Amino acid sequence: MRGHEGAVSSISVHSSGRYAITTSSDTAQLWDLDTFQRKRKLNIRQSVGIQRVFFLPLSNTILSCFSDDSIFAWESDTLFCKYQLPVPDCGPKISYKAFAVTRDGKSLAAGGRSNLLHLWCLDSKQLVRVIQMPTQVRTVRQLEFLPDSFDGGASQTLGVLSQDGMMRFINIHTCKLLFHIGSHDDAITAVSVSPNGRHVVAIMDNGSINVYSVQSLTQELNKPPPSQVAVVSGAEADQLSNLKVKVKSEVVQRPAKSLGCRTQVKILRPPAGSTAEDKENELPAGLNKKRLVALLKAFGEYPAKYRMFVWRSLLCLPENHAAYSSLTDKGLHSAYLTLHDKYPIKSHKLQRGLQRVLSALAHWASIFGEVEYLPLVAFPFVKLFQNNPMLCFEVVATVIVNWCQHWFEYFPNPPLNILSMAENVLAHHDKELLQHLTDCGITSQLYVWPLLETLFSEVLTRDEWLRLFDNVFSNHPSFLLIACVAYVTCCREPLLLCAQKQDFEYFFHHRNNLDVGAMIKEAYRLMSSTPADIHPQTTLSDFSPLTKGQYPVFNHYPKFIVEYQSREREKIRLQEMEYLRERQEVSALRADFVRRQAEEEAYYTQQAEEQRRNILAQEEEKLTQQRKKLAAMKRELKVKELQLLDATRRRFLKHQQDLRTSQIKRLDQEIGRKMDLRERETAAAVQDLEVRQMELEAQRRRLEQNLLKEQECMGREVEEEVELRMRKAEREEESYTELLHSRGTNLQALEESLAEACQLGLESDWQREVAERLQQVDAEQERKRERLAELHRETLAEEERLADTMRDVAGRKWDEVMSTRAQLQEQRQPSCSAHTDGQRQTTRRPHRQSATTAVHVGSAAAGPAVKCNTATNMVCLNSSSPSESTSTNFSLDRGRAQLDSSERQLLKEVRELRQKLATRAREGSSASSQSVYTLSSVSQ
């Protein structure tokens, strides 16, 4: 099933039939049976499994038991946790596996892997009892309460199916083992109890199904106690010793039965002269009426499962199968063929049963085909005995013969004599109520007859009606009339408040808030306290059962009226049949008339249709001819139109051809003109290129000369700078020598002053200070000498790096000039080939490159050297190399732009070279000046 990971272990359906709960070990789900959709899902922790989840009867509460023996109650609509049932903390763990709830939903029993049963009261939410089963029970597999209609839903008998295959039924209050089914050899696997508690169905271990009758199993237990005899029955000793009761709330245990005490039994023996009375009270099937009446007075009603049996015994039903079959063989009575129109019943089975019983009564006595209220009298019994129509017929016949005495003497009017008896009884016991009813204009036909004609079925519920008729069938036939008076007197207060006739009619045709037990007690009081002169018992005969073999003749009614009504009904039936026949004939005539009318209409329609078709055919013929003429005219017009279109198309094509011819001529002229213009432009561009090349050559030579001059000036300046620095170095050495000499004189003066100080007797501290100062001066001079030598070495290294840098720059420039010259020579060759192929219709121009020069700068010792090769730097645009390809073409404009850019790049490089040389010269001069400053500072 969707939503369950494991197998579904149980399914519980709500009492309304709208919802169901499916349970597996991992989850429980609530389903809506109207839409078959899942409403809620109970999610749990994986460590805690679910044992069972089910609905409680007559409520919206859901009980859930988990594997840790915790039991919770939930609200089915909101899934709100209402309460948790307490579980004993001490003792062995039961591990609940089986559960059972009483029909009233007030008690819960649970069992598991133990011989202990826990019983909770769900109203107080308390554990009220712990029942210990016999030692043979080690595990409880299933629990089932045995319902009983007599207990009002609070079942007292609990069936316990154990691991040994036996199901033991115990009383949960007395803890007495009542009976058991199954055995070790014939073990039971599963058990189901019928809803009415009459049968127990068991699935045996061998695969068979056994059906047990609870009545047979409890026959000895359910025997009514004899009148005025108090007997205390004890269970067998071995059974009682194995049953222990433990109540947690009070910690009470059932004491063991002592051997010394003995139950006192008092037996009342009847007098010897009561044999005739006993014979009168003896009933069929071994029952005694006096004992039944005593039981009825003690409990107020007969047990539900024995009620039908008791009624059959009280009414002494003859069960005349042959006589009843002869009545039913006559079929349905004509008076009840349309019963469903007047009394519609949802159940078709109940409707047919009521028709069958009423027809049998009508065939038994003709008056019962005319009595209008007979269905109201018979319907309660039909509903009770719907599975046995013969018993139902005999019960209704017995009720009519005994409790409906003198009802039909004033037919078709209500039984005024019976109603006057009830009114006399009411006048004797409650004159005030009778006076009020009389003042309001209410007669006994309004407050007694509605109760009698329906036999209280309109004003009482099913259980109340059954309880009343338990007493009616157990007493004199006058008890029914006395019960009507008791009903009126018990409803005295609301009746005194009524004043309108409609209120009284509604009151006696609807259910009211009445205690049936009080009404029955009032009926017994009226039965015993009513005087004999007005008591209905003096007028009504004693109970007389139906005769066996054949049913008695019933003729207590005005035959002439019934016969007259029968004749009138038969006449009406014949008239109805005649009317139906005439109506059928009229229907046939009408159908024949309609058929003929339809045939005539069809004939006239067919004639008109033929005329219309002829007219339509003629019109269609005319239209066809006209369409043909129109088609011919359209074809002629189409041909003419095509001819005109063809002529127009030819003229248009000729005009288009002339236009294209003139356009081709114009294009040829334009192409020739453009070719001439291109040739002239090419010649002018070539001339301009030659002039530009010559200008570049002249400019190159001028730049080379300027570079040579600048290089010579730069060389001279460098030589002069070097000589200047050498002279500065010589002067610095001379100044350093003078400084050393001055330092020597200073030292001599210091020594002389020291000697003078010694002579003057200065302290030794002054001498040490002078010595330290002399040492500091010597160290300072030594550091200055080292710094001067280091500066001299750095100056020489810097001069060498400057010379190397100038040589590197000169080499790179010479390489660049040589590469530029090679590129210029490569570009000259395509230009010459382009000049040779000048007759082609192209507008390409040769590239232009400016001439380059090479400058080599050496060291001061080597001197400047200038190398010029003017013969190789000459460029001629008209020259061509035989090794070049004649298919090389280029644009003159693009070549001119490239020559301009090359020229600009060459000038830029020359300027950068000049700036670098000037920068290096300035750096060299600053370095030499710094060295001179250092020497001067040292000399100071």
Side-chain angles (χ1 to χ4, degrees), residues 223-293:
K223 281 185 178 181
S227 179
Q228 296 181 357
V229 176
V231 179
V232 179
S233 61
E236 297 179 4
D238 57 344
Q239 293 177 354
L240 287 176
S241 61
N242 290 329
L243 291 177
K244 297 181 180 179
V245 179
K246 298 180 181 179
V247 182
K248 183 180 179 181
S249 59
E250 299 180 359
V251 196
V252 178
Q253 295 184 355
R254 179 185 293 271
K257 186 175 180 181
S258 61
L259 298 176
C261 61
R262 181 172 297 178
T263 304
Q264 298 293 328
V265 180
K266 182 180 180 181
I267 301 176
L268 299 179
R269 301 186 180 278
S274 59
T275 305
E277 187 178 356
D278 288 342
K279 290 183 180 180
E280 182 181 355
N281 291 326
E282 288 295 331
L283 296 176
L287 298 180
N288 186 279
K289 186 174 181 179
K290 290 186 65 177
R291 293 183 179 180
L292 289 177
V293 171

Side-chain angles (χ1 to χ4, degrees), residues 280-281 289 314-316 397-406 472-479 527 535-546 556:
E280 182 181 355
N281 291 326
K289 186 174 181 179
L314 290 174
L315 299 179
C316 301
T398 303
V399 169
I400 292 174
V401 170
N402 293 277
W403 282 272
C404 298
Q405 298 179 34
H406 308 291
V472 169
F473 289 155
S474 301
N475 289 278
H476 191 269
S478 60
F479 187 84
M527 193 78 175
H535 202 293
Q537 188 173 1
T538 59
T539 305
L540 300 178
S541 302
D542 294 336
F543 172 78
S544 60
L546 298 179
H556 303 290

